[in-house]
Amino acid sequence: MMTTLRLYARSRGGVARLGILGAAAALPVLLAPVEFLGVPVRDAAASIFLNAALLAGTVVAFPLGAPWSELDEALPDRPLRDLRLVWFMAVTVAAVLAGAAAVAVREDAALLMPFYGRNVLLGLGIGALSVCLLPRTVAWLPATAYAMVCWVWGTEDQLGTARVWALPNHDLTSWLSLLVAVSLWAGAAALYTYRDGQQVP
């Protein structure tokens, strides 16, 4: 089973590639200012962080693609679905641990970690669904476009109050943003387990 899992991981780019993408996902935590004073977004830099965390989850989702169709075709359905689920969880853990490592390096970023975790789940859900449903050449577009719209038009006043649809900008008391993030992540996990990502051309 471990040999098959290693082959499956290699077919998706390998653990090394996942680690590199995880490191890239940690950059928003390392670079963002801590400027939250009872509102979701206080300044443009904080808004950039929130939506960069969304994109971090999307970036880490790309190893969910399926470049080696020959390996998948050689495996029975049940083990293949188990491998997909394990790999999806590994991708999720890599994204979350990247943020936790950044918090360990920069202690004042601890305030941002809950925002990071929620938005990474949201981005991972959108990214994984896109990888499963869209051609690989355009799978990055939905989350990127959504992040840009949330950054530019996601607040309704100078205090940074988030609009209802701008889920990455919501504060931590927003049950809606958390519910949507978890639901998208769980739905993406289920779809990936049964359908897999699009083949690489």
Side-chain angles (χ1 to χ4, degrees):
M1 179 64 179
M2 289 303 297
T3 300
T4 306
L5 181 57
R6 283 196 295 268
L7 283 173
Y8 187 86
R10 286 183 60 190
S11 77
R12 269 61 183 173
V15 176
R17 182 189 178 200
L18 183 57
I20 292 171
L21 292 174
L27 287 177
V29 177
L30 288 171
L31 301 178
V34 180
E35 294 290 352
F36 293 92
L37 291 180
V39 293
V41 182
R42 185 185 177 193
D43 57 24
S47 180
I48 290 172
F49 162 78
L50 290 170
N51 289 287
L54 173 81
L55 293 178
T58 304
V59 167
V60 177
F62 276 95
L64 297 174
W68 289 3
S69 59
E70 295 84 359
L71 175 64
D72 294 6
E73 293 168 356
L75 293 172
D77 284 345
R78 177 68 181 275
L80 181 57
R81 288 173 180 170
D82 291 344
L83 288 171
R84 289 172 184 164
L85 182 59
V86 170
W87 185 239
F88 187 90
M89 293 303 172
V91 168
T92 301
V93 169
V96 174
L97 286 182
V103 168
V105 172
R106 178 183 164 177
E107 294 180 0
D108 64 347
L111 179 62
L112 297 176
M113 188 59 196
F115 289 91
Y116 175 87
R118 182 197 65 196
N119 288 0
V120 161
L121 283 184
L122 182 62
L124 185 57
I126 296 172
L129 289 172
S130 299
V131 167
C132 290
L133 298 174
L134 300 175
R136 289 289 298 272
T137 51
V138 297
W140 57 275
L141 275 174
T144 303
Y146 180 52
M148 292 293 292
V149 170
C150 289
W151 176 38
V152 177
W153 294 294
T155 56
E156 59 187 25
D157 54 40
Q158 292 184 346
L159 293 176
T161 305
R163 298 184 189 278
V164 174
W165 50 264
L167 298 175
N169 292 359
H170 284 211
D171 63 26
L172 295 179
T173 64
S174 170
W175 61 267
L176 176 63
S177 61
L178 182 60
L179 178 63
V180 172
V182 173
S183 298
L184 280 176
W185 176 83
L191 182 62
Y192 179 73
T193 298
Y194 284 93
R195 192 183 189 280
D196 207 345
Q198 293 287 341
Q199 300 293 329
V200 174

